[in-house]
Amino acid sequence: MDPLDATNSFQDNFHYSADVGEGRVGDASLAAAAAQNQSLYWGIYRPNLYFGTRPRLPDTVMTGLMWFGTEDFTGLDNIRHGCEERDKFEKYGWLKADGRTFGIQQLKDTNNNVEFTTEFIKVPGGSHGGSWGARISGKPLREGEPMSIAAQYYIGIDGEGHLDLNGDTFVAQSPIVFGGDAKDLGDFEFALEQTKGANKADPIRFFGARMPQGTLWRIKELTREVIIHGAQALHQTGRTDITPQEFFALPNQFNGHPSVIVFQMYYDSEFEFEVRFNSKSSPNPVTTDIISSELTKAENAFDERFENVFHLKHHGYNESMVNFAKATMSNLVGGIGYFYGSSIVDHSPTYEEGQNPDLEGPVARRPNPDPQHMEPASLFSAVPSRSFFPRGFYWDEGFHQTLIGQWDNDLSLEIIESWFNRQDENGWIQREQILGDEARSRVPAEFQVQYPEHANPPTLFQAINLYLDRLQATITVNDAHNVNVQGDSKQTPMGAGNVPGYNVTNARLVNKGLAAEYLAKLYPKLKHNYYWMRNTMRGGIREYGRNARFRAEGYRWGGRTPTHTLTSGLDDYPRTPRPNIGELHVDLLSWIGFMNRNLRSIAAIVGEEEDEVEELEDHYHAIVANVDDLHWSEEHKAYCDLTLEDDVSLHVCHKGYISLFPLLLGLINPESEKLEHVLDLMYDPEEMWSPFGLRSLSKSDEFFGTGENYWKGPIWINVNYLAVHALKTYYVDKGPYKNKAKQIYNELRDNLIKNIYSEYERTGFVWEQYNDETGSGQRSHPFTGWTSMVVLMMQMGRAE
């Protein structure tokens, strides 16, 4: 089976030609790029914080919210700033966010008895991404119980520029207004105003300081030190009537000419304040009234668009479940961040193959480890978890983009392009993007170094494949209505009036020229990554006496240890207990085949040379053949890894997620008898089936639930999503096992949706994984990375 056969007509009708309308497509491309940049210039791009803003620029203006309790003298030890699970919030996350202009977030701080609502809105205009407003409001979380907090908001510049703050003339009385300028932002004005509440007329405390470039992220530490210094001085007065509010007050002073200023307001009842940023290049100033009107319009537009995209009300979901889906997706797009800084990579030579046969991790493979800081670079990416994994992960990001791409096609393409811009000259992309000191502060030292022989599952190819699906559907509809989308002389470049439905979210859908140009630009990087994977991960076949129709298509993950294969994404999933150069991994071979199939789809569009396409086709057919020849075990009726033992090639069969990968990635022919065995493995409650989703490891395996128990039984939503998607796409309406596939698809999908939703209702969060016995959410939360795929499962509908 080759899924590409169904799309040949699309590829025949859509290909990139550089000499057709080149100037007009080029003009449209420049206009599209400018529109995207302006639309995405500013945002809530600090996902590691409870609330913060910044532009997509390095070393720039950044703002953020902090607070602590003032009910007693212990509050300063627990300043809220970065998202932390130890803060033990009842709930937090974006309820509605569109990823570009608007967001509403709820923060329920149980210990401080305060419920924050943070609202963000952008108003376009000018040449620096427009202006924006943030409205921060709060109230007691539990009525009848006291609330006493110090809310702090800081505004700073982490690079070139200055704030117009003069200690001799500065007055901290609401509204506080001051100007400034910064590189690539021009002149601007900030305003902070207390707008509602019994405390709105109270004095505002402040402190300003000059922080070294690159250290603004440590503002919480500085603020705490300043407050403690003042508290110590106050304590020495001998007074016994000092309240926590007085004790923990900012000193109302500037130390030198400040690059950052922190404001502090005290609240003991319902409150509201605003922070407004106005770009001097924009003719559209943000005011309190503008914030109110624009938030209302943006929220109504979000609700309407959400239903138009996902059709959940149409599918019969009630209001509670629709709101759950909105919050789940919103916390994913609200978690998109801009990251900048250096990474640490060890390019030092490794031992020759076989010289250190145990291969116990990357350091052991190097006679002289030499980690080095790389040149600073940027990444625009979503994150798996704002509290625990607030950075980019290659294996996670492809899943993120399956949902983001459905919501905002061109936002997703911006993120995908940013990831492939991180590719080095060999085609390698770091699997974990730990950029800068702020990111490294959240990562144990042993995981900070990246190694250029380490891969990760190439899930971004899935996101690109789904883009092709959307593109095909859009062009089919437009062609049916005789809409010109070629970017030729009949269409004014990027003209909203000429292409129905055009806006910055879908320009590369409705304009065929822009789509083809994007794919032509991306294709060489995809191909480079594909061949890097093939060359770096290749394993042995004939030299170990293995029988397979093709001698080249066998692969093994690098970076193995006896207990972990972090590069596979499945971490502690059991493999052979002694890593060796003779291993072959069925999941990796399946991923290589998956990359190939998606690469061929684009190759046909961008006009790749015929012999190149034929070479890819030869690779694919060899991969599909070797999945069966090498990895099928007749003894276990399952797909298994291979290892060497006393120079004999043996299957290592730990049934679970790796056994499913040929199905998950659509490599099993619907007519194959092996499909029936794989479906039986999925549906057997003594193996992988549970009422809450597919277990990561079979219940019958000797390692089930043992050790770290990360991928040894718990239910992971990303792989369950792959299963649901593959069953629906490849197997529910084809072949002799379609009825069984349909039954599993419907039951699995229903079980997953029901459990994820019920746990969200019970706990207030979606989770990293779920318990196979109870369905309870486990480990990191909120985990609105790939667990947000539940929204796509809801959208899929049942198979009839």
Side-chain angles (χ1 to χ4, degrees):
M1 174 194 66
D2 187 346
L4 282 181
D5 293 342
T7 62
N8 284 339
S9 60
F10 164 58
Q11 294 167 353
D12 291 342
N13 187 48
F14 177 57
H15 59 86
Y16 179 69
S17 176
D19 60 351
V20 176
E22 182 178 280
R24 287 172 291 278
V25 173
D27 291 343
S29 178
L30 291 174
Q36 286 298 326
N37 188 46
Q38 287 298 304
S39 176
L40 296 170
Y41 210 83
W42 271 100
I44 45 176
Y45 298 145
R46 306 184 72 194
N48 56 312
L49 306 186
Y50 288 119
F51 181 80
T53 69
R54 67 168 298 158
R56 288 200 305 170
L57 297 169
D59 305 326
T60 188
V61 173
M62 293 191 285
T63 83
L65 172 69
M66 300 188 291
W67 72 93
F68 60 90
T70 55
E71 183 70 20
D72 55 40
F73 290 94
T74 66
L76 193 65
D77 293 330
N78 297 287
I79 299 176
R80 312 306 200 201
H81 183 224
C83 302
E84 299 280 359
E85 290 183 13
R86 65 172 176 261
D87 289 341
K88 298 186 183 304
F89 280 22
E90 179 180 320
K91 182 178 184 178
Y92 73 91
W94 294 96
L95 302 178
K96 298 178 182 181
D98 66 5
R100 290 183 183 266
T101 63
F102 153 80
I104 300 176
Q105 181 182 212
Q106 184 181 62
L107 304 160
K108 294 187 175 183
D109 184 350
T110 309
N111 290 337
N112 287 314
N113 191 36
V114 59
E115 178 181 332
F116 276 93
T117 298
T118 67
E119 299 172 283
F120 177 78
I121 191 70
K122 286 198 305 191
V123 177
S127 54
H128 300 99
S131 302
W132 56 264
R135 179 172 287 166
I136 316 293
S137 59
K139 61 183 180 180
L141 182 59
R142 298 176 298 278
E143 292 186 12
E145 296 184 24
M147 178 195 82
S148 180
I149 65 164
Q152 298 176 328
Y153 203 93
Y154 64 88
I155 297 164
I157 301 178
D158 211 21
E160 295 182 32
H162 80 282
L163 301 176
D164 296 332
L165 297 168
N166 187 323
D168 295 331
T169 59
F170 186 78
V171 178
Q173 185 67 44
S174 177
I176 299 170
V177 180
F178 61 93
D181 66 84
K183 183 181 179 182
D184 297 322
L185 284 176
D187 295 332
F188 53 77
E189 182 181 86
F190 271 105
L192 183 143
E193 182 176 4
Q194 301 199 85
T195 47
K196 288 183 182 179
N199 302 100
K200 76 179 256 187
D202 290 355
I204 296 175
R205 308 290 300 187
F206 69 91
F207 172 76
R210 187 149 203 90
M211 299 185 71
Q213 183 169 331
T215 64
L216 185 56
W217 64 274
R218 301 183 68 176
I219 185 63
K220 184 175 92 169
E221 298 173 36
L222 174 64
T223 302
R224 188 173 184 275
E225 289 174 4
V226 168
I227 290 175
I228 288 176
H229 181 76
Q232 290 171 339
L234 193 59
H235 178 68
Q236 291 174 359
T237 65
R239 285 177 52 194
T240 59
D241 60 342
I242 305 172
T243 66
Q245 288 190 1
E246 187 179 3
F247 204 63
F248 295 140
L250 288 175
N252 284 353
Q253 68 182 40
F254 292 152
N255 288 353
H257 189 84
S259 61
V260 60
I261 184 168
V262 184
F263 300 103
Q264 180 171 302
M265 294 78 71
Y266 293 113
Y267 299 118
D268 55 16
S269 60
E270 194 165 344
F271 65 89
E272 179 186 281
F273 68 91
E274 292 177 353
V275 179
R276 300 187 292 270
F277 170 87
N278 279 298
S279 171
K280 291 295 187 178
S281 69
S282 174
N284 306 316
V286 172
T287 64
T288 294
D289 290 342
I290 291 295
I291 290 175
S292 297
S293 62
E294 291 299 315
L295 280 172
T296 299
K297 288 192 291 186
E299 184 172 8
N300 291 337
F302 175 90
D303 291 337
E304 180 180 358
R305 178 178 162 199
F306 191 88
E307 178 60 22
N308 289 339
V309 171
F310 297 108
H311 310 292
L312 299 190
K313 292 180 182 177
H314 176 76
H315 286 310
Y317 292 103
N318 61 32
E319 183 177 3
S320 177
M321 294 196 75
V322 171
N323 288 337
F324 152 71
K326 288 177 180 177
T328 301
M329 188 213 74
S330 294
N331 215 37
L332 173 64
V333 299
I336 293 171
Y338 175 86
F339 307 94
Y340 181 80
S342 65
S343 58
I344 304 176
V345 178
D346 193 337
H347 285 102
S348 63
T350 61
Y351 287 107
E352 294 294 327
E353 293 287 16
Q355 189 175 343
N356 186 7
D358 288 336
L359 301 178
E360 294 188 3
V363 176
R365 293 202 66 215
R366 288 171 156 73
N368 298 293
D370 185 28
Q372 297 288 329
H373 284 262
M374 299 293 100
E375 287 294 318
S378 65
L379 180 72
F380 189 48
S381 178
V383 302
S385 169
R386 292 170 60 196
S387 61
F388 207 77
F389 301 109
R391 55 193 178 277
F393 287 78
Y394 188 71
W395 141 247
D396 296 66
E397 196 59 28
F399 291 102
H400 301 164
Q401 296 314 312
T402 61
L403 177 55
I404 293 175
Q406 186 80 346
W407 170 250
D408 187 325
N409 180 81
D410 285 28
L411 171 59
S412 177
L413 297 186
E414 286 281 309
I415 292 172
I416 292 170
E417 183 176 13
S418 180
W419 269 92
F420 278 95
N421 286 341
R422 295 286 295 120
Q423 186 179 75
D424 74 1
E425 67 275 9
N426 298 312
W428 173 61
I429 299 174
Q430 296 176 33
R431 67 183 189 87
E432 189 171 347
Q433 299 286 331
I434 310 169
L435 302 180
D437 291 338
E438 182 176 13
R440 276 188 286 276
S441 71
R442 303 291 295 270
V443 183
E446 62 268 28
F447 297 115
Q448 292 180 10
V449 181
Q450 302 293 297
Y451 300 93
E453 72 273 18
H454 286 186
N456 231 190
T459 56
L460 283 171
F461 281 73
Q462 165 78 349
I464 296 163
N465 179 61
L466 294 175
Y467 168 49
L468 296 183
D469 290 346
R470 294 192 298 272
L471 189 61
Q472 179 179 6
T474 303
I475 287 174
T476 299
V477 169
N478 285 340
D479 286 349
H481 291 87
N482 295 315
V483 175
N484 180 280
V485 290
Q486 295 284 357
D488 62 19
S489 59
K490 298 178 182 177
Q491 178 188 323
T492 303
M494 302 302 295
N498 297 73
V499 182
Y502 162 73
N503 59 53
V504 289
T505 70
N506 65 8
R508 293 188 177 106
L509 277 180
V510 301
N511 187 310
K512 192 186 296 186
L514 293 178
E517 184 182 54
Y518 179 86
L519 292 169
K521 180 180 177 182
L522 188 64
Y523 176 77
K525 295 181 179 182
L526 299 176
K527 188 168 79 168
H528 203 26
N529 187 233
Y530 169 72
Y531 280 101
W532 175 84
M533 289 278 287
R534 288 175 58 82
N535 295 332
T536 307
M537 305 293 117
R538 193 180 302 280
I541 299 177
R542 300 287 173 85
E543 56 266 51
Y544 302 120
R546 291 163 172 157
N547 294 319
R549 280 169 281 180
F550 298 92
R551 65 187 306 165
E553 301 302 335
Y555 300 92
R556 63 182 178 87
W557 294 109
R560 288 262 289 116
T561 72
T563 58
H564 286 79
T565 310
L566 298 179
T567 47
S568 73
L570 306 180
D571 293 20
D572 67 333
Y573 191 100
R575 309 275 182 163
T576 181
R578 184 176 180 274
N580 62 84
I581 61 174
E583 289 183 88
L584 293 177
H585 299 123
V586 62
D587 52 331
L588 179 52
L589 179 58
S590 300
W591 280 119
I592 299 289
F594 178 78
M595 292 178 82
N596 175 290
R597 192 171 68 225
N598 289 290
L599 194 63
R600 284 189 296 137
S601 297
I602 303 173
I605 291 171
V606 301
E608 181 65 284
E609 295 292 335
E610 185 175 341
D611 57 347
E612 294 279 352
V613 176
E614 289 178 356
E615 179 180 322
L616 291 173
E617 291 173 351
D618 290 343
H619 291 174
Y620 184 76
H621 295 303
I623 289 168
V624 171
N626 277 12
V627 166
D628 286 347
D629 291 356
L630 292 170
H631 292 287
W632 180 257
S633 168
E634 272 298 319
E635 176 187 355
H636 297 91
K637 300 296 184 186
Y639 290 103
C640 308
D641 287 341
L642 281 167
T643 190
L644 285 181
E645 193 169 300
D646 298 327
D647 294 326
V648 176
S649 181
L650 301 172
H651 282 118
V652 180
C653 284
H654 295 287
K655 295 180 182 178
Y657 283 169
I658 69 161
S659 314
L660 303 185
F661 268 93
L663 177 148
L664 299 178
L665 301 178
L667 303 182
I668 304 178
N669 192 307
E671 306 288 336
S672 172
E673 293 180 1
K674 295 178 177 64
L675 176 60
E676 182 176 28
H677 295 298
V678 175
L679 293 173
D680 287 342
L681 172 64
M682 294 172 69
Y683 202 49
D684 186 343
E686 296 304 312
E687 301 275 12
M688 298 186 68
W689 189 263
S690 88
F692 313 107
L694 297 176
R695 300 182 178 100
S696 46
L697 186 64
S698 168
K699 192 176 181 180
S700 66
D701 192 273
E702 61 179 309
F703 295 107
F704 176 78
T706 62
E708 184 182 350
N709 194 26
Y710 201 40
W711 292 82
K712 293 181 179 178
I715 294 160
W716 291 82
I717 303 308
N718 62 328
V719 178
N720 275 269
Y721 165 77
L722 288 178
V724 168
H725 179 267
L727 290 169
K728 181 75 177 291
T729 304
Y730 304 119
Y731 302 113
V732 298
D733 59 359
K734 304 180 185 74
Y737 312 109
K738 61 183 181 182
N739 290 334
K740 181 176 290 187
K742 183 184 299 184
Q743 179 183 5
I744 294 173
Y745 165 79
N746 284 329
E747 291 186 28
L748 178 60
R749 174 184 166 274
D750 289 349
N751 289 346
L752 290 162
I753 294 170
K754 179 181 177 181
N755 188 62
I756 298 169
Y757 168 70
S758 65
E759 281 298 281
Y760 176 82
E761 288 291 288
R762 184 179 73 86
T763 67
F765 298 103
V766 296
W767 294 77
E768 183 179 8
Q769 58 177 219
Y770 293 84
N771 186 281
D772 71 297
E773 293 293 333
T774 65
S776 298
Q778 299 180 161
R779 297 197 181 247
S780 301
H781 61 282
F783 198 91
T784 38
W786 58 40
T787 303
S788 62
M789 299 301 97
V790 66
V791 179
L792 294 178
M793 296 184 209
M794 295 170 72
Q795 182 192 29
M796 286 179 185
R798 292 177 58 84
E800 302 299 339

